[in-house]
Amino acid sequence: FGELFANVLIVGIGGSALGPQFVADALGAPTDRLKPFFFDNTDPDGMDRVLEAIEERGGLSRTLTIVISKSGGTKETRNGMLESQAAYKACGLDPARHFVAVTQEGSELDKVAVKEGWLPRFPLWAWVGGRTSELSAVGLLAAALQGIDIKGMLDGAAAMDVLTRNTDTMKNPALLLSLSWLKATNGKGEKDMVVLPYKDRLTLLSKYLQQLVMESLGKDKDLDGKAVKQGIAVYGNKGSTDQHAYVQQLRDGVDNFFITFLQVLKERKATNMEVEPGVTSGDYLFGFLLGTRRALYEGGRPSITVAVEDVTPRAVGALIALFERAVGFYASFVNINAYHQPGVEAGKKAAQAVISLQSKVVKGLAESAAGATADELAKAQIGRASCRE
C-alpha cells in the first residue's frame, strides 16, 4: 500500500491501442515516468507474456491499468479487463485500486467502474471513433502518465488544423495529401499505399495508418446508397530496412502501389559520429531514402514525401492530424462516410454467433451421457431451430 506506480497497462483494441502504441514508441524514453504495456488482443498467451514483462518491472502492485472502450461492449477489451482483474486478484490485490476507465458516460464499462469503485473515469463522446481518438482521453491519458508532453501534441494538431482551413490548396498539407491519394488511386482504390518512415521511432506509424485509412475508406456504399467498393489498402514498415525486403518488388514487380515516404531531418539528440570521413549513419539513411525514391521514380513508380524536423510531441500531433484530415477530405471527394464501420460491426456479430454455437455444442456434449458425434449434434441444433420457427 502506498507504492508509486511504475507501469501502466492499457487494455484496448483497434484505435484504443494502435494510437497509444504508436505515440508511446515514437516519444518514449528510458526516463519515462511510467512504462507502458498493452493488452491489445484476446490472445491468452499474449496477455501472459505481457504480465510476465510487468512482473520484471515491479509487478502488478506497481501497475495502473487503463481500460478503454467507448461502448464498453467490445469483447476483446472486456476479455482483457477480466484477465487483468484475475491477475491482480491472484496477487492478492484489489483491482479497483488500480483500474481507470476511459469510456462513454453510462456505457457498460462505465457502470462496471462505478459499481466496483474504480479510480476516476475519463469521458469519451459518441462522435469520437476509435481510429480518430488518439488526441482524446484515449491517447492523451496514457501519454501523460508516461511523461509525454501532451500539450505539445495538441499544439501540433491545432497548428495542422489551422493549415487545413487554408483555402489555398498549395498551403493546405492535408488537402494536398488527399489529392495525391486521389490521383494515385484514380479515386477507386486502384493502388495500395505503402508507408515507409525512415526513422525507427515511426515504425508503428504504418500500423496506425492501416486502421485509420482502411477502416475509414473501405466502404461498400457511398452516401447515396450506390455500391462503390471504395478503399485504399495500406501496408509498410520502415526504411532503410525494407530496402532489403520488399523494395525489390516495388521497383521491378507488379505496379499496384504508391509510396508515402516519411523523412525526419534531425539524425539524433547526441553528437553525430562519422562512420566514414565526413559521413554519418544518418547521411546513409538520408541517402537510402533519396536513392530509393529516385530508383522508384525511374521505374515509373509514384511517391509522396512527408518531412518533419524531428520526432517531437508537436510533430507527432501534427502528423496524426494531417492524416486524419486527409482521410476526411478523400472521403468527401469519393462521396463516402469515413466515420462509420458497418463491416467491423458485421464481423463482431459473426464472431458472437460462433461463440453462441460453441456454447450450444458444449452444452449438447454435457447433456449426452453416451456421447454424440458432430453430425448428431448438428442435426439436434437444426431440429431445435426448426421448432423455434
Coordinates of all heavy atoms in Angstrom, one line a residue, residues 142-208:
A142 N -2.8 8.0 -21.4 CA -1.7 7.1 -21.3 C -0.4 7.9 -21.6 O 0.6 7.7 -20.9 CB -1.9 6.0 -22.3
A143 N -0.4 8.8 -22.5 CA 0.8 9.6 -22.9 C 1.2 10.5 -21.7 O 2.4 10.6 -21.4 CB 0.5 10.4 -24.1
A144 N 0.2 11.1 -21.1 CA 0.6 12.0 -19.9 C 1.2 11.2 -18.8 O 2.1 11.6 -18.2 CB -0.7 12.7 -19.5
L145 N 0.6 10.0 -18.5 CA 1.2 9.2 -17.5 C 2.6 8.7 -17.8 O 3.4 8.5 -16.9 CB 0.2 8.0 -17.2 CG -1.1 8.3 -16.6 CD1 -2.1 7.1 -16.7 CD2 -0.9 8.7 -15.1
Q146 N 2.8 8.5 -19.1 CA 4.1 8.0 -19.5 C 5.2 9.2 -19.3 O 6.4 8.9 -19.2 CB 4.1 7.6 -21.0 CG 5.4 6.9 -21.5 CD 5.2 6.4 -22.9 OE1 4.1 6.3 -23.4 NE2 6.3 6.2 -23.6
G147 N 4.6 10.4 -19.3 CA 5.5 11.6 -19.2 C 5.7 12.3 -20.5 O 6.6 13.2 -20.6
I148 N 4.9 12.0 -21.5 CA 5.0 12.7 -22.8 C 4.3 14.1 -22.7 O 3.2 14.2 -22.0 CB 4.3 11.8 -23.9 CG1 5.2 10.6 -24.1 CG2 4.1 12.6 -25.2 CD1 4.6 9.5 -24.9
D149 N 4.8 15.0 -23.4 CA 4.2 16.4 -23.4 C 3.0 16.4 -24.3 O 3.0 16.6 -25.5 CB 5.3 17.3 -24.0 CG 4.8 18.8 -24.2 OD1 3.7 19.1 -23.6 OD2 5.4 19.6 -24.9
I150 N 1.8 16.2 -23.7 CA 0.6 16.2 -24.4 C 0.1 17.5 -24.9 O -0.6 17.6 -25.9 CB -0.6 15.5 -23.6 CG1 -0.9 16.2 -22.4 CG2 -0.2 14.0 -23.3 CD1 -2.2 15.7 -21.7
K151 N 0.5 18.6 -24.2 CA 0.2 19.9 -24.7 C 0.9 20.2 -26.0 O 0.4 20.8 -27.0 CB 0.6 21.0 -23.7 CG 0.2 22.4 -24.1 CD 0.6 23.5 -23.1 CE 0.1 24.9 -23.6 NZ 0.7 25.3 -24.9
G152 N 2.2 19.7 -26.1 CA 2.9 19.8 -27.4 C 2.2 19.0 -28.5 O 2.1 19.5 -29.6
M153 N 1.7 17.9 -28.2 CA 0.9 17.1 -29.2 C -0.3 17.9 -29.7 O -0.6 18.0 -30.9 CB 0.5 15.7 -28.7 CG 1.6 14.8 -28.4 SD 1.1 13.2 -27.6 CE -0.1 12.6 -28.9
L154 N -1.0 18.4 -28.7 CA -2.3 19.2 -29.1 C -1.9 20.5 -29.8 O -2.6 20.9 -30.7 CB -3.0 19.5 -27.8 CG -3.7 18.3 -27.1 CD1 -4.3 18.7 -25.8 CD2 -4.8 17.7 -28.0
D155 N -0.8 21.1 -29.5 CA -0.4 22.3 -30.2 C -0.1 22.0 -31.6 O -0.4 22.7 -32.6 CB 0.8 22.9 -29.5 CG 0.5 23.6 -28.2 OD1 -0.7 23.9 -28.0 OD2 1.4 23.9 -27.4
G156 N 0.6 20.8 -31.9 CA 0.9 20.4 -33.2 C -0.3 20.1 -34.0 O -0.4 20.5 -35.2
A157 N -1.3 19.4 -33.4 CA -2.5 19.1 -34.1 C -3.3 20.4 -34.4 O -3.9 20.6 -35.5 CB -3.4 18.2 -33.3
A158 N -3.3 21.4 -33.5 CA -4.0 22.6 -33.7 C -3.4 23.4 -34.8 O -4.1 24.0 -35.6 CB -4.0 23.4 -32.4
A159 N -2.0 23.4 -34.9 CA -1.4 24.1 -36.0 C -1.7 23.5 -37.3 O -1.9 24.2 -38.3 CB 0.1 24.1 -35.7
M160 N -1.8 22.1 -37.3 CA -2.2 21.5 -38.6 C -3.7 21.8 -38.9 O -4.0 22.0 -40.1 CB -2.1 20.0 -38.4 CG -2.4 19.2 -39.7 SD -1.4 19.7 -41.1 CE 0.3 19.2 -40.6
D161 N -4.5 22.0 -37.9 CA -5.9 22.3 -38.2 C -6.0 23.7 -38.8 O -6.8 24.0 -39.7 CB -6.7 22.3 -36.9 CG -7.2 20.9 -36.6 OD1 -7.1 20.0 -37.4 OD2 -7.7 20.7 -35.4
V162 N -5.2 24.6 -38.4 CA -5.1 26.0 -39.0 C -4.8 25.9 -40.4 O -5.4 26.5 -41.3 CB -4.1 26.9 -38.2 CG1 -3.9 28.2 -39.0 CG2 -4.6 27.2 -36.8
L163 N -3.8 25.1 -40.8 CA -3.4 24.9 -42.2 C -4.4 24.2 -43.0 O -4.6 24.5 -44.1 CB -2.1 24.1 -42.2 CG -0.8 24.7 -41.6 CD1 0.4 23.7 -41.6 CD2 -0.4 26.0 -42.4
T164 N -5.2 23.3 -42.3 CA -6.2 22.6 -43.0 C -7.4 23.5 -43.4 O -8.1 23.2 -44.4 CB -6.7 21.4 -42.1 OG1 -5.6 20.6 -41.8 CG2 -7.8 20.6 -42.9
R165 N -7.5 24.6 -42.7 CA -8.6 25.5 -43.1 C -8.2 26.5 -44.2 O -9.0 27.3 -44.6 CB -9.0 26.3 -41.8 CG -9.6 25.4 -40.7 CD -10.1 26.2 -39.5 NE -10.5 25.4 -38.4 CZ -9.7 25.2 -37.3 NH1 -8.6 25.8 -37.2 NH2 -10.1 24.3 -36.4
N166 N -7.0 26.4 -44.6 CA -6.5 27.4 -45.6 C -7.1 27.0 -47.0 O -7.1 25.9 -47.4 CB -5.0 27.3 -45.7 CG -4.4 28.5 -46.4 OD1 -4.9 28.9 -47.4 ND2 -3.2 28.9 -45.9
T167 N -7.7 28.0 -47.6 CA -8.4 27.8 -48.9 C -7.4 27.7 -50.1 O -7.8 27.4 -51.2 CB -9.5 28.8 -49.2 OG1 -8.9 30.1 -49.1 CG2 -10.6 28.7 -48.1
D168 N -6.2 28.1 -49.8 CA -5.1 28.0 -50.9 C -4.6 26.5 -50.9 O -3.9 26.1 -49.9 CB -4.0 29.0 -50.6 CG -2.9 29.0 -51.6 OD1 -2.9 28.0 -52.4 OD2 -2.1 29.9 -51.7
T169 N -4.9 25.8 -51.9 CA -4.6 24.4 -51.9 C -3.1 24.1 -51.7 O -2.7 23.2 -50.9 CB -5.0 23.8 -53.3 OG1 -6.4 23.9 -53.5 CG2 -4.6 22.3 -53.4
M170 N -2.2 24.9 -52.2 CA -0.8 24.7 -52.1 C -0.3 25.0 -50.7 O 0.9 24.6 -50.4 CB 0.0 25.5 -53.1 CG -0.4 25.2 -54.6 SD -0.2 23.4 -55.0 CE 1.5 23.2 -54.8
K171 N -1.1 25.6 -49.9 CA -0.7 25.8 -48.5 C -1.5 25.0 -47.5 O -1.5 25.3 -46.3 CB -0.9 27.3 -48.2 CG 0.1 28.2 -49.0 CD -0.2 29.7 -48.7 CE 0.7 30.6 -49.5 NZ 0.5 32.0 -49.2
N172 N -2.2 24.0 -48.0 CA -3.0 23.1 -47.2 C -2.5 21.7 -47.3 O -2.8 20.9 -48.2 CB -4.4 23.2 -47.7 CG -5.4 22.5 -46.7 OD1 -5.1 21.4 -46.2 ND2 -6.6 23.0 -46.6
P173 N -1.6 21.2 -46.3 CA -0.9 19.9 -46.4 C -1.9 18.8 -46.5 O -1.7 17.8 -47.3 CB -0.1 19.8 -45.2 CG 0.1 21.3 -44.8 CD -1.1 22.0 -45.1
A174 N -3.0 18.8 -45.7 CA -3.9 17.7 -45.7 C -4.7 17.6 -47.0 O -4.9 16.5 -47.5 CB -4.9 17.9 -44.5
L175 N -5.0 18.7 -47.6 CA -5.7 18.7 -48.9 C -4.8 18.2 -50.0 O -5.2 17.4 -50.8 CB -6.2 20.1 -49.2 CG -7.0 20.3 -50.5 CD1 -8.2 19.4 -50.5 CD2 -7.5 21.8 -50.6
L176 N -3.5 18.7 -49.9 CA -2.5 18.2 -50.9 C -2.3 16.7 -50.8 O -2.3 16.0 -51.8 CB -1.2 18.9 -50.7 CG -1.1 20.3 -51.2 CD1 0.3 20.9 -50.8 CD2 -1.2 20.4 -52.7
L177 N -2.2 16.2 -49.6 CA -2.1 14.7 -49.4 C -3.2 14.0 -49.9 O -3.1 12.9 -50.6 CB -1.8 14.5 -47.9 CG -1.4 13.0 -47.5 CD1 -0.2 12.6 -48.2 CD2 -1.3 12.9 -46.0
S178 N -4.4 14.4 -49.6 CA -5.6 13.7 -50.1 C -5.8 13.7 -51.6 O -6.2 12.8 -52.3 CB -6.9 14.3 -49.4 OG -7.1 15.6 -49.8
L179 N -5.4 14.9 -52.2 CA -5.4 15.0 -53.7 C -4.4 14.0 -54.3 O -4.6 13.5 -55.4 CB -5.2 16.4 -54.1 CG -6.3 17.4 -53.9 CD1 -5.9 18.8 -54.1 CD2 -7.5 17.0 -54.7
S180 N -3.3 13.9 -53.6 CA -2.2 12.9 -54.1 C -2.8 11.5 -54.1 O -2.6 10.7 -55.0 CB -1.0 13.0 -53.3 OG -0.4 14.3 -53.3
W181 N -3.5 11.2 -53.0 CA -4.1 9.8 -53.0 C -5.2 9.7 -54.1 O -5.2 8.6 -54.7 CB -4.8 9.6 -51.6 CG -4.0 9.6 -50.4 CD1 -2.6 9.6 -50.4 CD2 -4.4 9.6 -49.0 NE1 -2.1 9.6 -49.1 CE2 -3.2 9.6 -48.2 CE3 -5.6 9.7 -48.4 CZ2 -3.3 9.6 -46.9 CZ3 -5.7 9.7 -47.0 CH2 -4.5 9.7 -46.3
L182 N -5.9 10.7 -54.3 CA -7.0 10.7 -55.3 C -6.3 10.4 -56.7 O -6.8 9.6 -57.5 CB -7.7 12.0 -55.3 CG -9.1 12.0 -56.1 CD1 -10.1 11.2 -55.4 CD2 -9.6 13.4 -56.2
K183 N -5.3 11.1 -57.0 CA -4.6 10.9 -58.3 C -4.0 9.5 -58.4 O -4.1 8.8 -59.4 CB -3.5 12.0 -58.5 CG -2.8 11.8 -59.8 CD -1.8 13.0 -60.0 CE -1.0 12.8 -61.3 NZ -1.8 12.6 -62.5
A184 N -3.3 9.1 -57.3 CA -2.6 7.8 -57.3 C -3.5 6.6 -57.5 O -3.2 5.6 -58.1 CB -1.7 7.6 -56.1
T185 N -4.7 6.7 -56.9 CA -5.7 5.6 -56.9 C -6.8 5.8 -57.9 O -7.7 4.9 -58.0 CB -6.3 5.4 -55.5 OG1 -7.1 6.6 -55.2 CG2 -5.2 5.3 -54.5
N186 N -6.8 6.9 -58.7 CA -7.9 7.2 -59.6 C -9.3 7.3 -58.8 O -10.3 7.1 -59.4 CB -8.1 6.2 -60.7 CG -7.0 6.4 -61.7 OD1 -6.5 7.5 -62.0 ND2 -6.4 5.3 -62.2
G187 N -9.2 7.6 -57.5 CA -10.4 7.7 -56.7 C -11.1 6.4 -56.6 O -12.3 6.4 -56.1
K188 N -10.5 5.3 -56.9 CA -11.2 4.0 -56.9 C -10.4 2.9 -56.1 O -10.7 1.7 -56.2 CB -11.4 3.5 -58.3 CG -12.3 4.4 -59.1 CD -12.4 3.9 -60.6 CE -13.3 4.9 -61.4 NZ -13.4 4.5 -62.8
G189 N -9.3 3.3 -55.4 CA -8.5 2.4 -54.7 C -7.7 1.4 -55.6 O -7.4 0.3 -55.2
E190 N -7.4 1.9 -56.8 CA -6.7 1.0 -57.7 C -5.3 0.7 -57.3 O -4.7 -0.3 -57.9 CB -6.7 1.7 -59.1 CG -8.1 1.7 -59.7 CD -8.2 2.4 -61.1 OE1 -7.1 2.9 -61.5 OE2 -9.3 2.5 -61.7
K191 N -4.7 1.5 -56.4 CA -3.3 1.2 -55.9 C -3.3 1.2 -54.4 O -4.0 1.9 -53.8 CB -2.3 2.2 -56.5 CG -2.2 2.0 -58.1 CD -1.0 2.8 -58.6 CE -0.8 2.5 -60.1 NZ 0.4 3.1 -60.6
D192 N -2.4 0.4 -53.9 CA -2.2 0.3 -52.4 C -1.2 1.4 -52.0 O -0.4 1.9 -52.7 CB -1.5 -1.0 -52.0 CG -2.4 -2.2 -52.5 OD1 -3.6 -2.0 -52.7 OD2 -1.8 -3.3 -52.6
M193 N -1.3 1.8 -50.7 CA -0.5 2.8 -50.1 C 0.6 2.1 -49.3 O 0.3 1.4 -48.3 CB -1.2 3.7 -49.2 CG -0.4 4.8 -48.6 SD -1.2 5.8 -47.3 CE -2.7 6.3 -48.0
V194 N 1.9 2.2 -49.7 CA 3.0 1.7 -48.9 C 3.6 2.8 -48.1 O 4.0 3.8 -48.6 CB 4.1 1.1 -49.9 CG1 5.2 0.6 -49.0 CG2 3.5 0.0 -50.7
V195 N 3.6 2.6 -46.8 CA 4.1 3.7 -45.9 C 5.5 3.3 -45.4 O 5.8 2.2 -44.9 CB 3.2 3.8 -44.6 CG1 3.7 4.9 -43.7 CG2 1.8 4.1 -45.0
L196 N 6.5 4.2 -45.7 CA 7.9 3.9 -45.4 C 8.5 5.1 -44.6 O 9.0 6.0 -45.2 CB 8.7 3.7 -46.7 CG 8.7 2.3 -47.3 CD1 9.6 2.3 -48.6 CD2 9.2 1.3 -46.3
P197 N 8.4 5.0 -43.3 CA 9.1 6.0 -42.5 C 10.6 5.7 -42.4 O 10.9 4.6 -42.0 CB 8.4 5.9 -41.1 CG 7.9 4.6 -41.1 CD 7.6 4.1 -42.5
Y198 N 11.4 6.7 -42.6 CA 12.9 6.5 -42.5 C 13.3 7.0 -41.1 O 14.0 8.0 -40.9 CB 13.6 7.2 -43.6 CG 13.7 6.3 -44.8 CD1 12.6 6.0 -45.6 CD2 14.9 5.8 -45.2 CE1 12.7 5.2 -46.7 CE2 15.0 5.0 -46.3 CZ 13.9 4.7 -47.1 OH 14.0 3.9 -48.2
K199 N 12.7 6.3 -40.1 CA 13.1 6.6 -38.7 C 12.5 5.5 -37.8 O 11.3 5.2 -37.9 CB 12.4 8.0 -38.3 CG 13.0 8.6 -37.0 CD 14.4 9.1 -37.2 CE 14.9 9.9 -36.1 NZ 16.3 10.4 -36.3
D200 N 13.3 4.9 -37.0 CA 12.9 3.8 -36.1 C 11.7 4.2 -35.2 O 10.8 3.4 -34.9 CB 14.0 3.3 -35.2 CG 15.0 2.5 -36.0 OD1 14.8 2.3 -37.3 OD2 16.0 2.0 -35.5
R201 N 11.7 5.5 -34.8 CA 10.6 6.0 -33.9 C 9.3 6.0 -34.5 O 8.3 6.0 -33.9 CB 11.0 7.4 -33.4 CG 12.1 7.4 -32.3 CD 12.3 8.8 -31.8 NE 13.3 8.9 -30.7 CZ 13.0 8.7 -29.4 NH1 11.8 8.4 -29.0 NH2 14.0 8.7 -28.5
L202 N 9.3 6.0 -35.9 CA 8.0 6.0 -36.6 C 7.6 4.6 -37.2 O 6.7 4.5 -38.0 CB 8.0 7.0 -37.7 CG 8.3 8.5 -37.3 CD1 8.3 9.4 -38.5 CD2 7.2 8.9 -36.3
T203 N 8.2 3.6 -36.7 CA 8.0 2.2 -37.2 C 6.5 1.9 -37.1 O 5.9 1.2 -38.0 CB 8.8 1.2 -36.4 OG1 10.2 1.4 -36.6 CG2 8.5 -0.2 -36.9
L204 N 5.8 2.2 -36.0 CA 4.4 1.8 -35.8 C 3.4 2.7 -36.6 O 2.2 2.5 -36.5 CB 4.1 1.8 -34.3 CG 4.8 0.7 -33.5 CD1 4.4 0.8 -32.0 CD2 4.6 -0.7 -34.1
L205 N 3.9 3.7 -37.2 CA 3.0 4.6 -38.0 C 2.3 3.8 -39.0 O 1.1 4.1 -39.2 CB 3.8 5.7 -38.7 CG 3.0 6.7 -39.5 CD1 2.1 7.5 -38.6 CD2 4.0 7.7 -40.2
S206 N 2.9 2.9 -39.7 CA 2.2 2.1 -40.8 C 1.0 1.4 -40.2 O -0.1 1.3 -40.8 CB 3.1 1.2 -41.5 OG 3.8 0.3 -40.6
K207 N 1.2 0.7 -39.0 CA 0.1 0.0 -38.4 C -1.1 1.0 -38.0 O -2.2 0.6 -38.2 CB 0.6 -0.7 -37.2 CG 1.4 -2.0 -37.5 CD 1.8 -2.7 -36.2 CE 0.5 -3.3 -35.5 NZ 0.9 -4.1 -34.3
Y208 N -0.7 2.1 -37.5 CA -1.7 3.1 -37.1 C -2.5 3.6 -38.3 O -3.7 3.7 -38.3 CB -1.0 4.3 -36.4 CG -1.9 5.5 -36.1 CD1 -2.9 5.4 -35.2 CD2 -1.7 6.6 -36.9 CE1 -3.7 6.5 -35.0 CE2 -2.5 7.7 -36.7 CZ -3.5 7.7 -35.7 OH -4.3 8.8 -35.5

